[in-house]
């Protein structure tokens, strides 16, 4: 669905992503992992056309991303940013409703209202729908932003650290929703810090270090003590517990 | 995207505005009604044009820059207009300037204003994530434009100074009616263009990245909105001169009264509130208290208090 070719991205004059070839495929949940400053968020922002590439190409379904009209792209691709700041005083339901803007331009149809209601329910926000964003907690706000991204009903879903501020039960819920979207044919890319979560939920893991792909492949290949210790420059243990991989820092 | 009930503030503001206009037209009228209504009607139309352009330009500017403290006039857009006017008198001479005629002057000034405002916006305001920097830049530029125009005032011939002096102070009781119809037409066009964009403005208010994510070409839309703001500021400055804090007063009242983020409600409500305040205080001061010069002072005073309150409350967003 999304494909990059020798992609380089610069931020404020410094190149932070170098020469990346990567494919985010439909029907698959791709996890981006790596240490702080590895360029994960920048790469994701470039895939979501928020930052223009310095060199190389990004193609969505074979078309250069810059050539796709903006409203068109917004119906096919949605991105959740880290630390998104929402200035106006909006209710949770209003914010999620904005996710339908690319489809109906600000006038919600009955179908749009159904989608908004489903997305609110998916993220356990139904009871908070009428609350103002500035009166809910950080985790609830984060879930509202995720729900808005989901309400865009995109073919490609890009989530930058969606698990920030979330408690255990909502971590599970968000990953389950992301998986469900992948299983119904969407291309999902998620930046994750928790390697155990990545190993459990992802079909494909891309590890970035210093702006380059350090390792990539299915979780069994990437989540190993050797690769992860080298990736983070710190000793990490990988244990098999009940057939699932668990990554420990000691 | 269901907001709270929005019709009520609009209806109330509409009634208040109609009342203010009615009083303005009829209070203390003596003699031939036909003459009184025609004379006052023209003045009322000018006040309504100014009220609308101040309200819309302020709200749109605040949406695009993502703040509630800075307004086009605090940012010095009106000072920029006066600077352009002074520079024109300076280069063409008083006689040459007068020979252009009011409408051509207005046209040239607005065109230059548009270019200058867009350049300024592209250079300074695009990355408006840092509110502190934005407000400081804005205020510094406001002072710069005012100082430059007073420098030019000192350099030009005293008789030519008289030409610009009249335009340099806010004057609500002697609005420039020669320009009224062209100003009204310009404002109507800007209002229509912005009204068509109201849903897009709602999305722009969410911030640059979110807006792009929702498929709005943020940079292009922001540029267009700023161009319309520049034209609206030109209209109000040409008609009544610079008013620094009035826009802020209106936008604070409108945001508080509207209880919604929808520009489709916010913009008309702001225009109604703006017209009520302007026409109402003009009526009270001109007809009831017979203090013709103080309207600008009082409105600016109120607006200044709102500015202080906003800064102290830290209601930056």
């Amino acid at each position: 669905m999304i494909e990059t070719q020798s992609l380089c991205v610069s931020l404020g004059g410094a190149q932070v992503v170098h020469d990346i070839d990567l494919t985010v495929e439909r029907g698959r949940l791709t996890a981006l992992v790596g240490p702080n400053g590895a360029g994960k968020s920048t790469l994701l922002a470039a895939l979501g056309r928020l930052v223009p590439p310095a060199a190389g190409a990004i193609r969505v379904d074979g078309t250069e991303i810059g050539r796709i009209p903006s409203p068109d792209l917004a119906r096919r691709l949605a991105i959740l940013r880290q630390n998104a700041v929402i200035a106006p005083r909006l209710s949770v339901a209003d914010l999620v409703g904005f996710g339908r803007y690319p489809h109906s331009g600000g006038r919600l149809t009955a179908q749009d209202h159904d989608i908004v209601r489903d997305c609110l329910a998916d993220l356990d926000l139904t009871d908070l729908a009428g609350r103002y964003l500035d009166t809910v907690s950080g985790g609830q706000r984060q879930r509202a932003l995720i729900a808005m991204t989901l309400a865009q009903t995109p073919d490609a879903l890009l989530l930058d650290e969606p698990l920030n501020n979330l408690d255990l039960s909502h971590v599970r819920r968000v990953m389950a929703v992301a998986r469900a979207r992948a299983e119904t044919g969407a291309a999902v890319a998620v930046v994750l810090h928790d390697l155990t979560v990545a190993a459990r939920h992802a079909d494909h893991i891309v590890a970035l270090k210093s702006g380059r792909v350090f390792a990539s492949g299915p979780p069994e290949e990437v989540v190993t003590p050797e690769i992860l210790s080298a990736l983070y420059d710190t000793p990490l243990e990988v244990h098999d517990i009940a057939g699932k991989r668990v990554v420990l820092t000691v | 995207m269901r907001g709270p009930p929005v019709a009520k503030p609009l209806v109330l503001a509409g009634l208040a505005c109609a009342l203010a206009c009615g009083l303005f037209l009829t209070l203390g009228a003596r003699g031939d009604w036909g003459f009184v209504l025609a004379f006052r009607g023209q003045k009322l139309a000018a006040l309504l044009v100014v009220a609308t352009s101040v309200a819309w330009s302020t709200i749109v500017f605040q949406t695009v820059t993502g703040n509630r403290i800075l307004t086009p006039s605090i940012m010095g857009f009106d000072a920029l207009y006066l600077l352009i006017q002074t520079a024109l008198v300076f280069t063409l001479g008083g006689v040459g300037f007068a020979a252009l005629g009011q409408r051509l002057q207005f046209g040239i000034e607005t065109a230059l204003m548009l270019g200058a405002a867009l350049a300024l916006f592209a250079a300074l305001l695009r990355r408006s994530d840092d509110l502190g920097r934005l407000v400081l830049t804005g205020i510094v530029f406001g002072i710069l434009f005012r100082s430059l125009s007073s420098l030019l005032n000192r350099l030009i011939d005293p008789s030519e100074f008289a030409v610009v002096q009249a335009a340099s102070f806010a004057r609500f009781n002697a609005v420039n009616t020669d320009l009224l119809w062209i100003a009204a037409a310009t404002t109507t066009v800007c209002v229509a263009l912005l009204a068509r964009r109201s849903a897009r403005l709602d999305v722009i208010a969410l911030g640059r990245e979110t807006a792009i994510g929702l498929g709005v070409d943020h940079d292009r839309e922001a540029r267009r909105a700023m161009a319309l703001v520049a034209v609206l500021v030109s209209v109000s400055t040409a008609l009544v001169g610079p008013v620094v804090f009035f826009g802020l007063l209106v936008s604070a009242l409108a945001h508080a009264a509207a209880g919604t983020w929808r520009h489709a409600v916010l913009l008309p409500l702001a225009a109604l509130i703006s017209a009520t305040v302007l026409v109402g205080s003009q009526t009270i001061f001109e007809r009831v208290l017979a203090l013709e010069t103080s309207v600008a002072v009082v409105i600016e005073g109120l607006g200044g208090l709102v500015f202080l309150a906003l800064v102290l409350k830290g209601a930056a967003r």
Side-chain angles (χ1 to χ4, degrees):
Chain A
M1 162 104 206
I2 309 181
E3 196 184 359
T4 73
Q5 201 174 40
S6 319
L7 175 69
C8 301
V9 187
S10 301
L11 278 188
Q15 192 167 323
V16 287
V17 168
H18 315 274
D19 232 7
I20 289 197
D21 294 293
L22 161 133
T23 317
V24 182
E25 279 178 30
R26 283 178 197 274
R28 211 161 74 164
L29 195 154
T30 304
L32 294 173
V33 300
N36 293 338
K40 308 180 293 292
S41 296
T42 310
L43 174 60
L44 205 72
L47 296 181
R49 52 82 172 82
L50 297 179
V51 183
I58 305 172
R59 279 187 280 272
V60 176
D61 287 333
T63 313
E64 185 70 37
I65 199 165
R67 291 174 181 275
I68 305 173
S70 201
D72 237 23
L73 193 58
R75 286 190 284 271
R76 291 159 58 184
L77 180 153
I79 179 167
L80 167 82
R81 284 289 269 166
Q82 234 186 108
N83 313 320
V85 181
I86 300 295
R89 198 157 191 270
L90 293 179
S91 74
V92 170
D94 285 341
L95 181 74
V96 179
F98 268 110
R100 298 307 298 164
Y101 178 82
H103 299 269
S104 48
R107 271 171 201 276
L108 299 199
T109 61
Q111 190 203 356
D112 291 327
H113 282 298
D114 289 345
I115 292 173
V116 169
R117 198 167 45 237
D118 292 346
C119 291
L120 286 168
D122 278 349
L123 287 155
D124 191 20
L125 289 167
T126 308
D127 295 339
L128 296 172
R131 290 269 293 276
Y132 282 103
L133 280 177
D134 50 2
T135 66
V136 300
S137 78
Q140 292 167 335
R141 217 172 141 275
Q142 176 77 356
R143 273 150 53 205
L145 288 164
I146 297 171
M148 169 181 143
T149 317
L150 292 175
Q152 271 177 265
T153 54
D155 298 329
L157 178 64
L158 309 176
L159 303 171
D160 193 354
E161 300 200 18
L163 308 182
N164 274 357
N165 297 324
L166 296 191
D167 64 37
L168 294 174
S169 80
H170 290 114
V171 164
R172 170 173 291 167
R173 185 183 277 271
V174 167
M175 290 314 294
V177 170
R179 267 233 69 89
R181 292 285 169 130
E183 272 155 24
T184 52
V188 182
V190 187
V191 174
L192 290 173
H193 272 299
D194 190 326
L195 297 165
T196 307
V197 170
R200 178 74 56 93
H201 295 279
D203 302 301
H204 188 77
I205 296 185
V206 177
L208 294 181
K209 188 176 185 181
S210 314
R212 295 178 195 279
V213 176
F214 183 78
S216 79
E220 311 80 74
E221 285 173 25
V222 177
V223 183
T224 64
E226 297 75 31
I227 291 180
L228 295 183
S229 300
L231 176 65
Y232 287 92
D233 288 321
T234 189
L236 289 172
E237 295 174 12
V238 178
H239 295 281
D240 259 347
I241 298 178
K244 310 275 167 58
R245 289 188 189 205
V246 175
V247 181
L248 295 178
T249 47
V250 183
Chain B
M1 277 196 265
R2 275 158 295 150
V6 288
K8 203 172 143 200
L10 269 181
V11 170
L12 285 180
L15 288 177
C17 181
L19 180 70
C21 292
L23 286 177
F24 181 83
L25 286 176
T26 53
L27 207 64
R30 281 189 307 264
D32 180 16
W33 276 94
F35 172 75
V36 168
L37 289 184
F39 180 73
R40 289 187 179 180
Q42 202 175 36
K43 219 161 145 180
L44 179 66
L47 287 176
L48 292 179
V49 168
V50 170
T52 309
S53 57
V54 168
W56 283 54
S57 64
T58 306
I59 298 266
V60 172
F61 180 90
Q62 292 188 335
T63 293
V64 173
T65 57
N67 85 96
R68 293 265 178 90
I69 293 184
L70 204 57
T71 67
S73 31
I74 296 176
M75 176 76 202
F77 271 36
D78 52 355
L80 182 62
Y81 183 85
L82 293 179
L83 176 63
I84 290 168
Q85 191 168 46
T86 315
L88 272 182
V89 176
F90 187 71
T91 48
L92 300 176
V95 180
F97 183 72
L100 289 177
Q102 290 243 16
R103 284 176 197 163
L104 192 55
Q105 284 169 18
F106 176 69
I108 294 174
E109 284 159 4
T110 305
L112 286 174
M113 172 82 181
L114 206 68
L118 283 180
L120 196 66
F121 176 65
L124 292 165
L125 297 178
R126 251 158 66 109
R127 309 295 313 152
S128 55
D129 322 330
D130 184 353
L131 188 73
R133 177 172 162 273
L134 180 73
V135 172
L136 274 178
T137 320
I139 290 174
V140 168
F141 266 87
I143 295 170
L144 176 70
F145 296 141
R146 288 186 185 99
S147 311
L148 278 178
S149 80
S150 75
L151 174 71
L152 280 184
N153 282 343
R154 270 154 230 260
L155 292 175
I156 58 178
D157 193 83
S159 62
E160 287 167 10
F161 175 62
V163 178
V164 278
Q165 191 194 25
S168 313
F169 301 98
R171 53 201 190 293
F172 289 110
N173 52 331
V175 286
N176 193 339
T177 43
D178 291 354
L179 281 177
L180 179 59
W181 300 116
I182 186 164
T186 314
T187 305
T188 310
V189 171
C190 291
V191 161
L193 288 173
L194 286 170
R196 270 186 46 196
R197 293 186 148 66
S198 66
R200 254 171 284 177
L201 287 169
D202 293 339
V203 177
I204 286 175
L206 298 178
R208 183 170 181 277
E209 291 196 334
T210 312
I212 295 175
L214 292 175
V216 169
D217 188 341
H218 179 274
D219 294 355
R220 195 183 65 195
E221 286 300 323
R223 259 197 318 276
R224 288 186 182 167
M226 282 316 234
L228 293 171
V229 167
V231 173
L232 286 172
V233 172
S234 304
V235 167
S236 76
T237 315
L239 283 180
V240 296
V243 266
V244 181
F245 289 122
F246 180 49
L248 188 76
L249 175 70
V250 168
S251 109
L253 288 174
H255 277 292
T260 174
W261 39 267
R262 284 169 177 278
H263 283 77
V265 177
L266 209 49
L267 288 169
L269 183 67
L272 288 173
I273 290 176
S274 169
T276 310
V277 172
L278 199 57
V279 176
S281 46
Q282 187 70 26
T283 310
I284 293 171
F285 280 89
E286 204 177 307
R287 309 269 189 268
V288 182
L289 301 175
L291 296 168
E292 304 219 339
T293 49
S294 345
V295 184
V297 179
V298 172
I299 285 181
E300 292 287 66
L302 282 177
L305 287 178
V306 171
F307 180 67
L308 279 178
L310 284 178
V311 170
L312 291 177
K313 225 177 77 186
R317 299 198 267 117

